[in-house]
Amino acid sequence: MKNLFVSLTIAAVLISLSSFIIKKREIKILVFSCTKGFRHKSIEPGLEAIKKIGKEKGYTIVHSENPEDFTDKNLKQFKALLFLNPTGKSLFNDAQKAAFKKYINRGGGFVGVHAATDCNYDWPWYGKLVGGFFAGHPKVQEAKLDILDTNHPATKGLPNPWMHTDEWYNFKDFNKDVKVIMTVDEKSYTGGKMPDFHPMAWYHEFDGGKVFYTGLGHTIEDFQDELFLKHLTGGIEYVLK
């Protein structure tokens, strides 16, 4: 009888562990890269890099460029949405906006990469979610990034300062409630228009969900750069926790 009890206990533990592993593998992220404006050449290599991150971390990556996938039923399966350089003044109709908002209200995660601020200008709620809107940029060039929070998953282990080459966005309608973790030093490059304080990566909890945004990610080289991928991976892990 004792042996039977021990066997049943071991079986229960194994079943529990198996269920935990399955659930962990079932973490799904929707990568959205719809472009109704400029299309970044980095989208395709970016998607491949994110798939590689997913494989290493045990996430299932699903890709879409179709706004019609933004329904309440479909979004329920995803732990996070990752906007990979989408562009366009208005990407969603009212029903799709409602489904997106409901997803965030239920605790969904959101990761915005670079041009995630260059879309949905017709939707103030989205602007507050992502943290602001794109307001122009100079040419691609090297600049100095200053890490303000070295303990956040998206910045932990990065060099400080960090010299990096990218397309440095200026922002408008900036949400001052976000927590900025990285700024770009306008004295280190030309074309910046936010001289007093130029945020380049931030996070916050918004309307029930968790949000991370990075202004980096314009170039193909970004998605081959170990430091940038470390930065992006940390941002993804933040919204998933």
mmCIF file of all heavy atoms in Angstrom, residues 73-121:
data_model
loop_
_atom_site.group_PDB
_atom_site.id
_atom_site.type_symbol
_atom_site.label_atom_id
_atom_site.label_comp_id
_atom_site.label_asym_id
_atom_site.label_seq_id
_atom_site.Cartn_x
_atom_site.Cartn_y
_atom_site.Cartn_z
ATOM 1 N N LYS A 73 -11.369 37.165 -29.864
ATOM 2 C CA LYS A 73 -11.126 35.718 -29.830
ATOM 3 C C LYS A 73 -9.684 35.382 -30.182
ATOM 4 O O LYS A 73 -9.032 34.568 -29.521
ATOM 5 C CB LYS A 73 -12.081 35.009 -30.790
ATOM 6 C CG LYS A 73 -11.925 33.499 -30.800
ATOM 7 C CD LYS A 73 -12.922 32.855 -31.753
ATOM 8 C CE LYS A 73 -12.751 31.341 -31.785
ATOM 9 N NZ LYS A 73 -13.717 30.701 -32.731
ATOM 10 N N ASN A 74 -9.151 36.007 -31.218
ATOM 11 C CA ASN A 74 -7.795 35.685 -31.658
ATOM 12 C C ASN A 74 -6.738 36.179 -30.689
ATOM 13 O O ASN A 74 -5.768 35.467 -30.393
ATOM 14 C CB ASN A 74 -7.539 36.273 -33.046
ATOM 15 C CG ASN A 74 -6.225 35.799 -33.637
ATOM 16 O OD1 ASN A 74 -5.943 34.607 -33.682
ATOM 17 N ND2 ASN A 74 -5.414 36.740 -34.086
ATOM 18 N N LEU A 75 -6.901 37.385 -30.169
ATOM 19 C CA LEU A 75 -5.872 37.963 -29.301
ATOM 20 C C LEU A 75 -5.764 37.253 -27.959
ATOM 21 O O LEU A 75 -4.713 37.312 -27.314
ATOM 22 C CB LEU A 75 -6.145 39.450 -29.083
ATOM 23 C CG LEU A 75 -6.003 40.355 -30.304
ATOM 24 C CD1 LEU A 75 -6.256 41.809 -29.919
ATOM 25 C CD2 LEU A 75 -4.647 40.209 -30.975
ATOM 26 N N LYS A 76 -6.825 36.559 -27.544
ATOM 27 C CA LYS A 76 -6.811 35.873 -26.248
ATOM 28 C C LYS A 76 -5.682 34.850 -26.124
ATOM 29 O O LYS A 76 -5.229 34.554 -25.022
ATOM 30 C CB LYS A 76 -8.153 35.167 -26.011
ATOM 31 C CG LYS A 76 -9.272 36.075 -25.534
ATOM 32 C CD LYS A 76 -10.533 35.269 -25.273
ATOM 33 C CE LYS A 76 -11.660 36.157 -24.775
ATOM 34 N NZ LYS A 76 -12.913 35.377 -24.553
ATOM 35 N N GLN A 77 -5.223 34.307 -27.253
ATOM 36 C CA GLN A 77 -4.214 33.242 -27.203
ATOM 37 C C GLN A 77 -2.794 33.770 -26.966
ATOM 38 O O GLN A 77 -1.879 32.994 -26.703
ATOM 39 C CB GLN A 77 -4.241 32.441 -28.501
ATOM 40 C CG GLN A 77 -3.845 33.245 -29.727
ATOM 41 C CD GLN A 77 -3.934 32.457 -31.010
ATOM 42 O OE1 GLN A 77 -3.283 31.409 -31.155
ATOM 43 N NE2 GLN A 77 -4.729 32.934 -31.950
ATOM 44 N N PHE A 78 -2.608 35.102 -27.050
ATOM 45 C CA PHE A 78 -1.256 35.658 -26.995
ATOM 46 C C PHE A 78 -0.946 36.290 -25.642
ATOM 47 O O PHE A 78 -1.767 36.979 -25.054
ATOM 48 C CB PHE A 78 -1.061 36.690 -28.105
ATOM 49 C CG PHE A 78 -1.196 36.110 -29.482
ATOM 50 C CD1 PHE A 78 -2.333 36.352 -30.236
ATOM 51 C CD2 PHE A 78 -0.194 35.311 -30.007
ATOM 52 C CE1 PHE A 78 -2.469 35.806 -31.503
ATOM 53 C CE2 PHE A 78 -0.317 34.753 -31.270
ATOM 54 C CZ PHE A 78 -1.458 34.995 -32.024
ATOM 55 N N LYS A 79 0.274 36.045 -25.185
ATOM 56 C CA LYS A 79 0.764 36.644 -23.943
ATOM 57 C C LYS A 79 1.260 38.059 -24.189
ATOM 58 O O LYS A 79 1.245 38.900 -23.292
ATOM 59 C CB LYS A 79 1.887 35.769 -23.379
ATOM 60 C CG LYS A 79 2.433 36.219 -22.032
ATOM 61 C CD LYS A 79 1.497 35.915 -20.900
ATOM 62 C CE LYS A 79 2.149 36.204 -19.555
ATOM 63 N NZ LYS A 79 1.209 36.032 -18.436
ATOM 64 N N ALA A 80 1.717 38.325 -25.402
ATOM 65 C CA ALA A 80 2.221 39.659 -25.736
ATOM 66 C C ALA A 80 2.050 39.930 -27.219
ATOM 67 O O ALA A 80 2.034 39.008 -28.044
ATOM 68 C CB ALA A 80 3.688 39.797 -25.346
ATOM 69 N N LEU A 81 1.939 41.212 -27.544
ATOM 70 C CA LEU A 81 1.952 41.688 -28.924
ATOM 71 C C LEU A 81 3.259 42.445 -29.128
ATOM 72 O O LEU A 81 3.657 43.237 -28.280
ATOM 73 C CB LEU A 81 0.779 42.638 -29.183
ATOM 74 C CG LEU A 81 -0.614 42.157 -28.771
ATOM 75 C CD1 LEU A 81 -1.646 43.256 -29.049
ATOM 76 C CD2 LEU A 81 -0.983 40.879 -29.494
ATOM 77 N N LEU A 82 3.920 42.179 -30.251
ATOM 78 C CA LEU A 82 5.170 42.874 -30.553
ATOM 79 C C LEU A 82 4.994 43.593 -31.884
ATOM 80 O O LEU A 82 4.829 42.954 -32.922
ATOM 81 C CB LEU A 82 6.338 41.891 -30.604
ATOM 82 C CG LEU A 82 7.745 42.499 -30.616
ATOM 83 C CD1 LEU A 82 8.772 41.475 -30.126
ATOM 84 C CD2 LEU A 82 8.161 43.001 -32.001
ATOM 85 N N PHE A 83 4.989 44.923 -31.840
ATOM 86 C CA PHE A 83 4.836 45.719 -33.055
ATOM 87 C C PHE A 83 6.214 45.988 -33.643
ATOM 88 O O PHE A 83 6.994 46.787 -33.117
ATOM 89 C CB PHE A 83 4.115 47.024 -32.743
ATOM 90 C CG PHE A 83 2.606 46.900 -32.733
ATOM 91 C CD1 PHE A 83 1.996 45.741 -32.273
ATOM 92 C CD2 PHE A 83 1.799 47.935 -33.184
ATOM 93 C CE1 PHE A 83 0.607 45.618 -32.259
ATOM 94 C CE2 PHE A 83 0.421 47.822 -33.173
ATOM 95 C CZ PHE A 83 -0.188 46.670 -32.722
ATOM 96 N N LEU A 84 6.508 45.300 -34.751
ATOM 97 C CA LEU A 84 7.815 45.364 -35.406
ATOM 98 C C LEU A 84 7.746 46.310 -36.606
ATOM 99 O O LEU A 84 7.352 45.925 -37.705
ATOM 100 C CB LEU A 84 8.247 43.966 -35.855
ATOM 101 C CG LEU A 84 9.554 43.853 -36.641
ATOM 102 C CD1 LEU A 84 10.733 44.321 -35.792
ATOM 103 C CD2 LEU A 84 9.769 42.426 -37.129
ATOM 104 N N ASN A 85 8.056 47.573 -36.361
ATOM 105 C CA ASN A 85 8.124 48.587 -37.418
ATOM 106 C C ASN A 85 6.865 48.711 -38.285
ATOM 107 O O ASN A 85 6.960 48.819 -39.514
ATOM 108 C CB ASN A 85 9.350 48.352 -38.308
ATOM 109 C CG ASN A 85 10.636 48.731 -37.610
ATOM 110 O OD1 ASN A 85 10.658 49.627 -36.769
ATOM 111 N ND2 ASN A 85 11.717 48.052 -37.942
ATOM 112 N N PRO A 86 5.676 48.701 -37.675
ATOM 113 C CA PRO A 86 4.477 48.964 -38.470
ATOM 114 C C PRO A 86 4.407 50.461 -38.792
ATOM 115 O O PRO A 86 4.922 51.286 -38.040
ATOM 116 C CB PRO A 86 3.332 48.557 -37.533
ATOM 117 C CG PRO A 86 3.877 48.849 -36.169
ATOM 118 C CD PRO A 86 5.356 48.552 -36.243
ATOM 119 N N THR A 87 3.787 50.814 -39.907
ATOM 120 C CA THR A 87 3.629 52.227 -40.262
ATOM 121 C C THR A 87 2.250 52.454 -40.871
ATOM 122 O O THR A 87 1.647 51.549 -41.440
ATOM 123 C CB THR A 87 4.699 52.689 -41.267
ATOM 124 O OG1 THR A 87 4.649 51.845 -42.429
ATOM 125 C CG2 THR A 87 6.092 52.650 -40.674
ATOM 126 N N GLY A 88 1.778 53.686 -40.756
ATOM 127 C CA GLY A 88 0.491 54.055 -41.332
ATOM 128 C C GLY A 88 -0.319 54.888 -40.361
ATOM 129 O O GLY A 88 -0.373 54.567 -39.171
ATOM 130 N N LYS A 89 -0.938 55.926 -40.851
ATOM 131 C CA LYS A 89 -1.691 56.836 -39.996
ATOM 132 C C LYS A 89 -2.775 56.121 -39.217
ATOM 133 O O LYS A 89 -2.982 56.371 -38.026
ATOM 134 C CB LYS A 89 -2.308 57.948 -40.845
ATOM 135 C CG LYS A 89 -3.101 58.960 -40.025
ATOM 136 C CD LYS A 89 -3.669 60.062 -40.906
ATOM 137 C CE LYS A 89 -4.492 61.037 -40.070
ATOM 138 N NZ LYS A 89 -5.070 62.123 -40.909
ATOM 139 N N SER A 90 -3.469 55.195 -39.875
ATOM 140 C CA SER A 90 -4.581 54.493 -39.235
ATOM 141 C C SER A 90 -4.559 53.030 -39.662
ATOM 142 O O SER A 90 -4.847 52.714 -40.812
ATOM 143 C CB SER A 90 -5.912 55.146 -39.634
ATOM 144 O OG SER A 90 -6.998 54.487 -39.023
ATOM 145 N N LEU A 91 -4.209 52.137 -38.737
ATOM 146 C CA LEU A 91 -4.092 50.715 -39.074
ATOM 147 C C LEU A 91 -5.346 49.915 -38.755
ATOM 148 O O LEU A 91 -5.567 48.864 -39.345
ATOM 149 C CB LEU A 91 -2.903 50.093 -38.329
ATOM 150 C CG LEU A 91 -1.516 50.651 -38.629
ATOM 151 C CD1 LEU A 91 -0.461 49.889 -37.854
ATOM 152 C CD2 LEU A 91 -1.217 50.600 -40.123
ATOM 153 N N PHE A 92 -6.162 50.407 -37.815
ATOM 154 C CA PHE A 92 -7.274 49.602 -37.311
ATOM 155 C C PHE A 92 -8.617 50.320 -37.450
ATOM 156 O O PHE A 92 -8.694 51.548 -37.316
ATOM 157 C CB PHE A 92 -7.052 49.271 -35.829
ATOM 158 C CG PHE A 92 -5.769 48.565 -35.539
ATOM 159 C CD1 PHE A 92 -4.735 49.204 -34.859
ATOM 160 C CD2 PHE A 92 -5.573 47.260 -35.950
ATOM 161 C CE1 PHE A 92 -3.547 48.558 -34.586
ATOM 162 C CE2 PHE A 92 -4.384 46.597 -35.694
ATOM 163 C CZ PHE A 92 -3.367 47.236 -35.006
ATOM 164 N N ASN A 93 -9.667 49.515 -37.676
ATOM 165 C CA ASN A 93 -11.012 50.081 -37.618
ATOM 166 C C ASN A 93 -11.495 50.074 -36.164
ATOM 167 O O ASN A 93 -10.778 49.615 -35.261
ATOM 168 C CB ASN A 93 -11.975 49.332 -38.552
ATOM 169 C CG ASN A 93 -12.166 47.864 -38.170
ATOM 170 O OD1 ASN A 93 -12.073 47.492 -36.997
ATOM 171 N ND2 ASN A 93 -12.430 47.021 -39.159
ATOM 172 N N ASP A 94 -12.699 50.560 -35.925
ATOM 173 C CA ASP A 94 -13.183 50.703 -34.553
ATOM 174 C C ASP A 94 -13.280 49.373 -33.813
ATOM 175 O O ASP A 94 -12.939 49.283 -32.627
ATOM 176 C CB ASP A 94 -14.552 51.398 -34.549
ATOM 177 C CG ASP A 94 -14.455 52.873 -34.901
ATOM 178 O OD1 ASP A 94 -13.332 53.419 -34.857
ATOM 179 O OD2 ASP A 94 -15.496 53.478 -35.220
ATOM 180 N N ALA A 95 -13.731 48.328 -34.496
ATOM 181 C CA ALA A 95 -13.870 47.013 -33.856
ATOM 182 C C ALA A 95 -12.503 46.448 -33.479
ATOM 183 O O ALA A 95 -12.330 45.852 -32.410
ATOM 184 C CB ALA A 95 -14.605 46.047 -34.781
ATOM 185 N N GLN A 96 -11.516 46.637 -34.354
ATOM 186 C CA GLN A 96 -10.162 46.142 -34.092
ATOM 187 C C GLN A 96 -9.508 46.924 -32.955
ATOM 188 O O GLN A 96 -8.811 46.352 -32.118
ATOM 189 C CB GLN A 96 -9.336 46.241 -35.375
ATOM 190 C CG GLN A 96 -9.809 45.269 -36.456
ATOM 191 C CD GLN A 96 -9.434 45.688 -37.862
ATOM 192 O OE1 GLN A 96 -8.804 46.732 -38.074
ATOM 193 N NE2 GLN A 96 -9.821 44.892 -38.841
ATOM 194 N N LYS A 97 -9.765 48.228 -32.907
ATOM 195 C CA LYS A 97 -9.268 49.047 -31.797
ATOM 196 C C LYS A 97 -9.860 48.566 -30.479
ATOM 197 O O LYS A 97 -9.156 48.470 -29.460
ATOM 198 C CB LYS A 97 -9.630 50.516 -32.022
ATOM 199 C CG LYS A 97 -8.828 51.204 -33.108
ATOM 200 C CD LYS A 97 -9.301 52.653 -33.266
ATOM 201 C CE LYS A 97 -8.530 53.371 -34.353
ATOM 202 N NZ LYS A 97 -9.010 54.759 -34.551
ATOM 203 N N ALA A 98 -11.147 48.264 -30.485
ATOM 204 C CA ALA A 98 -11.818 47.809 -29.262
ATOM 205 C C ALA A 98 -11.230 46.490 -28.777
ATOM 206 O O ALA A 98 -11.018 46.280 -27.576
ATOM 207 C CB ALA A 98 -13.314 47.672 -29.506
ATOM 208 N N ALA A 99 -10.927 45.573 -29.712
ATOM 209 C CA ALA A 99 -10.343 44.279 -29.350
ATOM 210 C C ALA A 99 -8.935 44.461 -28.792
ATOM 211 O O ALA A 99 -8.548 43.813 -27.806
ATOM 212 C CB ALA A 99 -10.318 43.361 -30.572
ATOM 213 N N PHE A 100 -8.152 45.327 -29.403
ATOM 214 C CA PHE A 100 -6.793 45.636 -28.955
ATOM 215 C C PHE A 100 -6.836 46.219 -27.541
ATOM 216 O O PHE A 100 -6.112 45.783 -26.634
ATOM 217 C CB PHE A 100 -6.179 46.622 -29.947
ATOM 218 C CG PHE A 100 -4.725 46.953 -29.733
ATOM 219 C CD1 PHE A 100 -4.073 47.787 -30.619
ATOM 220 C CD2 PHE A 100 -3.992 46.432 -28.666
ATOM 221 C CE1 PHE A 100 -2.740 48.113 -30.449
ATOM 222 C CE2 PHE A 100 -2.653 46.746 -28.483
ATOM 223 C CZ PHE A 100 -2.030 47.600 -29.381
ATOM 224 N N LYS A 101 -7.707 47.205 -27.334
ATOM 225 C CA LYS A 101 -7.823 47.845 -26.028
ATOM 226 C C LYS A 101 -8.258 46.831 -24.963
ATOM 227 O O LYS A 101 -7.723 46.819 -23.845
ATOM 228 C CB LYS A 101 -8.810 49.003 -26.088
ATOM 229 C CG LYS A 101 -8.869 49.835 -24.815
ATOM 230 C CD LYS A 101 -9.773 51.042 -24.995
ATOM 231 C CE LYS A 101 -9.758 51.932 -23.750
ATOM 232 N NZ LYS A 101 -10.266 51.240 -22.547
ATOM 233 N N LYS A 102 -9.210 45.971 -25.292
ATOM 234 C CA LYS A 102 -9.688 44.959 -24.354
ATOM 235 C C LYS A 102 -8.559 43.998 -23.994
ATOM 236 O O LYS A 102 -8.433 43.565 -22.843
ATOM 237 C CB LYS A 102 -10.871 44.192 -24.952
ATOM 238 C CG LYS A 102 -11.557 43.237 -23.977
ATOM 239 C CD LYS A 102 -12.795 42.622 -24.612
ATOM 240 C CE LYS A 102 -13.503 41.682 -23.639
ATOM 241 N NZ LYS A 102 -14.713 41.081 -24.264
ATOM 242 N N TYR A 103 -7.725 43.662 -24.976
ATOM 243 C CA TYR A 103 -6.582 42.781 -24.741
ATOM 244 C C TYR A 103 -5.635 43.387 -23.698
ATOM 245 O O TYR A 103 -5.197 42.706 -22.768
ATOM 246 C CB TYR A 103 -5.845 42.543 -26.063
ATOM 247 C CG TYR A 103 -4.516 41.859 -25.889
ATOM 248 C CD1 TYR A 103 -4.428 40.484 -25.742
ATOM 249 C CD2 TYR A 103 -3.331 42.607 -25.839
ATOM 250 C CE1 TYR A 103 -3.206 39.853 -25.556
ATOM 251 C CE2 TYR A 103 -2.110 41.989 -25.651
ATOM 252 C CZ TYR A 103 -2.055 40.618 -25.509
ATOM 253 O OH TYR A 103 -0.845 40.006 -25.317
ATOM 254 N N ILE A 104 -5.335 44.672 -23.845
ATOM 255 C CA ILE A 104 -4.468 45.360 -22.887
ATOM 256 C C ILE A 104 -5.159 45.448 -21.526
ATOM 257 O O ILE A 104 -4.534 45.205 -20.479
ATOM 258 C CB ILE A 104 -4.096 46.757 -23.392
ATOM 259 C CG1 ILE A 104 -3.234 46.664 -24.669
ATOM 260 C CG2 ILE A 104 -3.361 47.563 -22.313
ATOM 261 C CD1 ILE A 104 -1.885 45.994 -24.486
ATOM 262 N N ASN A 105 -6.438 45.768 -21.511
ATOM 263 C CA ASN A 105 -7.191 45.876 -20.256
ATOM 264 C C ASN A 105 -7.169 44.580 -19.460
ATOM 265 O O ASN A 105 -7.224 44.609 -18.221
ATOM 266 C CB ASN A 105 -8.649 46.258 -20.532
ATOM 267 C CG ASN A 105 -8.819 47.645 -21.131
ATOM 268 O OD1 ASN A 105 -9.832 47.935 -21.756
ATOM 269 N ND2 ASN A 105 -7.835 48.518 -20.964
ATOM 270 N N ARG A 106 -7.075 43.456 -20.147
ATOM 271 C CA ARG A 106 -7.054 42.143 -19.481
ATOM 272 C C ARG A 106 -5.659 41.761 -19.019
ATOM 273 O O ARG A 106 -5.452 40.656 -18.512
ATOM 274 C CB ARG A 106 -7.597 41.068 -20.414
ATOM 275 C CG ARG A 106 -9.099 41.089 -20.607
ATOM 276 C CD ARG A 106 -9.593 39.779 -21.199
ATOM 277 N NE ARG A 106 -8.971 39.508 -22.477
ATOM 278 C CZ ARG A 106 -9.642 39.394 -23.634
ATOM 279 N NH1 ARG A 106 -10.947 39.548 -23.650
ATOM 280 N NH2 ARG A 106 -9.010 39.138 -24.754
ATOM 281 N N GLY A 107 -4.682 42.640 -19.208
ATOM 282 C CA GLY A 107 -3.332 42.353 -18.730
ATOM 283 C C GLY A 107 -2.362 41.911 -19.794
ATOM 284 O O GLY A 107 -1.286 41.399 -19.476
ATOM 285 N N GLY A 108 -2.695 42.108 -21.061
ATOM 286 C CA GLY A 108 -1.796 41.718 -22.140
ATOM 287 C C GLY A 108 -0.529 42.553 -22.177
ATOM 288 O O GLY A 108 -0.498 43.688 -21.704
ATOM 289 N N GLY A 109 0.522 41.994 -22.755
ATOM 290 C CA GLY A 109 1.795 42.691 -22.875
ATOM 291 C C GLY A 109 1.956 43.321 -24.248
ATOM 292 O O GLY A 109 1.401 42.826 -25.237
ATOM 293 N N PHE A 110 2.711 44.404 -24.310
ATOM 294 C CA PHE A 110 2.956 45.091 -25.583
ATOM 295 C C PHE A 110 4.420 45.491 -25.670
ATOM 296 O O PHE A 110 4.959 46.122 -24.757
ATOM 297 C CB PHE A 110 2.078 46.336 -25.706
ATOM 298 C CG PHE A 110 2.315 47.128 -26.970
ATOM 299 C CD1 PHE A 110 1.624 46.830 -28.129
ATOM 300 C CD2 PHE A 110 3.259 48.155 -26.995
ATOM 301 C CE1 PHE A 110 1.853 47.554 -29.298
ATOM 302 C CE2 PHE A 110 3.500 48.880 -28.158
ATOM 303 C CZ PHE A 110 2.786 48.577 -29.310
ATOM 304 N N VAL A 111 5.060 45.136 -26.791
ATOM 305 C CA VAL A 111 6.434 45.549 -27.080
ATOM 306 C C VAL A 111 6.406 46.334 -28.380
ATOM 307 O O VAL A 111 5.900 45.848 -29.398
ATOM 308 C CB VAL A 111 7.375 44.342 -27.227
ATOM 309 C CG1 VAL A 111 8.775 44.791 -27.671
ATOM 310 C CG2 VAL A 111 7.459 43.557 -25.927
ATOM 311 N N GLY A 112 6.928 47.554 -28.351
ATOM 312 C CA GLY A 112 7.011 48.364 -29.557
ATOM 313 C C GLY A 112 8.454 48.537 -29.990
ATOM 314 O O GLY A 112 9.314 48.873 -29.177
ATOM 315 N N VAL A 113 8.721 48.288 -31.262
ATOM 316 C CA VAL A 113 10.071 48.446 -31.811
ATOM 317 C C VAL A 113 10.064 49.577 -32.839
ATOM 318 O O VAL A 113 9.269 49.555 -33.799
ATOM 319 C CB VAL A 113 10.558 47.142 -32.465
ATOM 320 C CG1 VAL A 113 11.914 47.353 -33.153
ATOM 321 C CG2 VAL A 113 10.654 46.020 -31.433
ATOM 322 N N HIS A 114 10.912 50.580 -32.609
ATOM 323 C CA HIS A 114 11.191 51.665 -33.550
ATOM 324 C C HIS A 114 9.910 52.308 -34.112
ATOM 325 O O HIS A 114 9.307 53.146 -33.453
ATOM 326 C CB HIS A 114 12.100 51.148 -34.662
ATOM 327 C CG HIS A 114 12.711 52.222 -35.512
ATOM 328 N ND1 HIS A 114 13.483 53.237 -34.998
ATOM 329 C CD2 HIS A 114 12.653 52.440 -36.863
ATOM 330 C CE1 HIS A 114 13.885 54.033 -35.982
ATOM 331 N NE2 HIS A 114 13.384 53.577 -37.127
ATOM 332 N N ALA A 115 9.457 51.887 -35.298
ATOM 333 C CA ALA A 115 8.328 52.541 -35.954
ATOM 334 C C ALA A 115 6.974 52.203 -35.336
ATOM 335 O O ALA A 115 5.940 52.601 -35.887
ATOM 336 C CB ALA A 115 8.326 52.205 -37.448
ATOM 337 N N ALA A 116 6.978 51.522 -34.215
ATOM 338 C CA ALA A 116 5.718 51.336 -33.493
ATOM 339 C C ALA A 116 5.146 52.681 -33.053
ATOM 340 O O ALA A 116 3.961 52.787 -32.717
ATOM 341 C CB ALA A 116 5.920 50.436 -32.273
ATOM 342 N N THR A 117 5.981 53.731 -33.061
ATOM 343 C CA THR A 117 5.502 55.092 -32.782
ATOM 344 C C THR A 117 5.128 55.838 -34.062
ATOM 345 O O THR A 117 4.693 57.001 -33.999
ATOM 346 C CB THR A 117 6.578 55.903 -32.026
ATOM 347 O OG1 THR A 117 7.822 55.803 -32.738
ATOM 348 C CG2 THR A 117 6.761 55.387 -30.605
ATOM 349 N N ASP A 118 5.278 55.207 -35.216
ATOM 350 C CA ASP A 118 4.992 55.834 -36.509
ATOM 351 C C ASP A 118 3.717 55.256 -37.121
ATOM 352 O O ASP A 118 3.657 54.950 -38.313
ATOM 353 C CB ASP A 118 6.190 55.645 -37.450
ATOM 354 C CG ASP A 118 6.046 56.445 -38.746
ATOM 355 O OD1 ASP A 118 5.232 57.390 -38.780
ATOM 356 O OD2 ASP A 118 6.728 56.099 -39.734
ATOM 357 N N CYS A 119 2.714 55.078 -36.295
ATOM 358 C CA CYS A 119 1.443 54.539 -36.778
ATOM 359 C C CYS A 119 0.322 54.929 -35.817
ATOM 360 O O CYS A 119 0.585 55.362 -34.686
ATOM 361 C CB CYS A 119 1.501 53.013 -36.933
ATOM 362 S SG CYS A 119 1.845 52.124 -35.404
ATOM 363 N N ASN A 120 -0.900 54.762 -36.277
ATOM 364 C CA ASN A 120 -2.093 55.005 -35.446
ATOM 365 C C ASN A 120 -2.150 56.420 -34.870
ATOM 366 O O ASN A 120 -2.557 56.627 -33.727
ATOM 367 C CB ASN A 120 -2.169 53.971 -34.314
ATOM 368 C CG ASN A 120 -2.331 52.555 -34.826
ATOM 369 O OD1 ASN A 120 -3.080 52.319 -35.772
ATOM 370 N ND2 ASN A 120 -1.617 51.618 -34.227
ATOM 371 N N TYR A 121 -1.774 57.387 -35.688
ATOM 372 C CA TYR A 121 -1.807 58.790 -35.243
ATOM 373 C C TYR A 121 -3.230 59.265 -34.936
ATOM 374 O O TYR A 121 -3.416 60.264 -34.247
ATOM 375 C CB TYR A 121 -1.197 59.696 -36.309
ATOM 376 C CG TYR A 121 0.287 59.500 -36.510
ATOM 377 C CD1 TYR A 121 0.768 58.649 -37.500
ATOM 378 C CD2 TYR A 121 1.214 60.171 -35.727
ATOM 379 C CE1 TYR A 121 2.138 58.472 -37.702
ATOM 380 C CE2 TYR A 121 2.578 60.016 -35.912
ATOM 381 C CZ TYR A 121 3.033 59.154 -36.900
ATOM 382 O OH TYR A 121 4.390 58.980 -37.093
#
